[in-house]
Amino acid sequence: MKAILTPDISPAMGLVIFNPSKELLPLFQNGRVVISPELPHLKHVVSGPIPHAKQPLAIKRGLSSFFAADEVIKKLGGVGMLVQHVKELAQGQCQATEEDDDKFHYHRFCELHTECGVVWLCHHHDNHYRNHGATEALNELAQTQRIEWIITRIIQALGKDPDHILSLQELCWWAFTHGAAHFLSDYVMREAAGAVTRTEAIKSEYKESETTVDSYDDNYSYLTDCCSKYAIHQPE
């Protein structure tokens, strides 16, 4: 558990007083606590328990092929671990979506593998979806749970706290070190490297006046290196 608390500072006495709510008292039962400045993404969060971190990369443009790759699942522990994660999320409940008119649930459960991921269903709804196909809402739930699990596993692999917000650079680092970088788009890798990403459409032909150079210094260094390598005379 983590929390945001507003201090009451008494400079003359050298004291800082916090007034946590009753639900936050277990934070102090073990004696020592870690205090850190407020992080930028928490500036608009009210005082009290810090809510579960939302992962911006879950909806990041350009990562769909990475999250959809079965090879990424294998490298993070396999589909069996994903199924266990979904089962724990379901907490003994059928994940049949609210759009279903049939509210009957059987007392036994199993996983259903859709084209987007895994969901946990009772045997009654499992038979229904296997015969009629998964709905759009069910596929969306399966995809969401798949992406959440991938991000969670990468955070664990990097040795971060469970509520750590995964950055694009960290995701790319994991992908490169585990042989999954080919699932990342060029756009994503350029952004992670801090390179300027072209947003306008790339044309097949350009006028000379439309061409630009990212860095004249870099290009000059490259040219001089080539000249030196091939013993080409460089102008004074």
Side-chain angles (χ1 to χ4, degrees), residues 53-201:
K54 295 181 179 180
Q55 298 292 342
L57 294 187
I59 56 174
K60 174 70 177 175
R61 180 167 67 95
L63 288 177
S64 57
S65 59
F66 177 82
F67 290 133
D70 291 336
E71 188 176 337
V72 172
I73 296 291
K74 293 178 182 178
K75 292 179 181 295
L76 288 170
V79 69
M81 293 190 66
L82 172 59
V83 171
Q84 183 62 32
H85 170 75
V86 172
K87 180 180 178 181
E88 293 174 356
L89 285 178
Q91 297 182 339
Q93 301 295 321
C94 177
Q95 290 187 324
T97 54
E98 293 297 327
E99 64 185 12
D100 297 313
D101 295 328
D102 187 358
K103 303 301 180 183
F104 173 77
H105 295 286
Y106 192 65
H107 65 279
R108 294 187 182 275
F109 299 87
C110 63
E111 76 272 12
L112 174 67
H113 296 262
T114 77
E115 60 184 11
C116 297
V118 180
V119 289
W120 190 251
L121 302 175
C122 70
H123 284 191
H124 173 69
H125 283 94
D126 176 65
N127 290 332
H128 172 76
Y129 286 121
R130 288 183 189 275
N131 293 331
H132 298 89
T135 62
E136 182 178 350
L138 199 67
N139 275 323
E140 184 177 346
L141 175 62
Q143 183 180 37
T144 298
Q145 294 180 153
R146 176 191 181 112
I147 293 174
E148 289 177 350
W149 179 79
I150 289 175
I151 292 177
T152 299
R153 289 291 295 158
I154 292 177
I155 290 174
Q156 292 174 350
L158 295 176
K160 303 294 185 179
D161 293 334
D163 58 351
H164 174 74
I165 297 179
L166 187 67
S167 69
L168 185 61
Q169 290 76 13
E170 289 170 333
L171 183 144
C172 290
W173 170 258
W174 180 90
F176 272 97
T177 56
H178 290 79
H182 55 288
F183 294 114
L184 298 173
S185 66
D186 179 67
Y187 173 90
V188 166
M189 289 188 287
R190 284 177 60 84
E191 183 178 345
V196 178
T197 305
R198 184 184 297 274
T199 57
E200 72 276 9

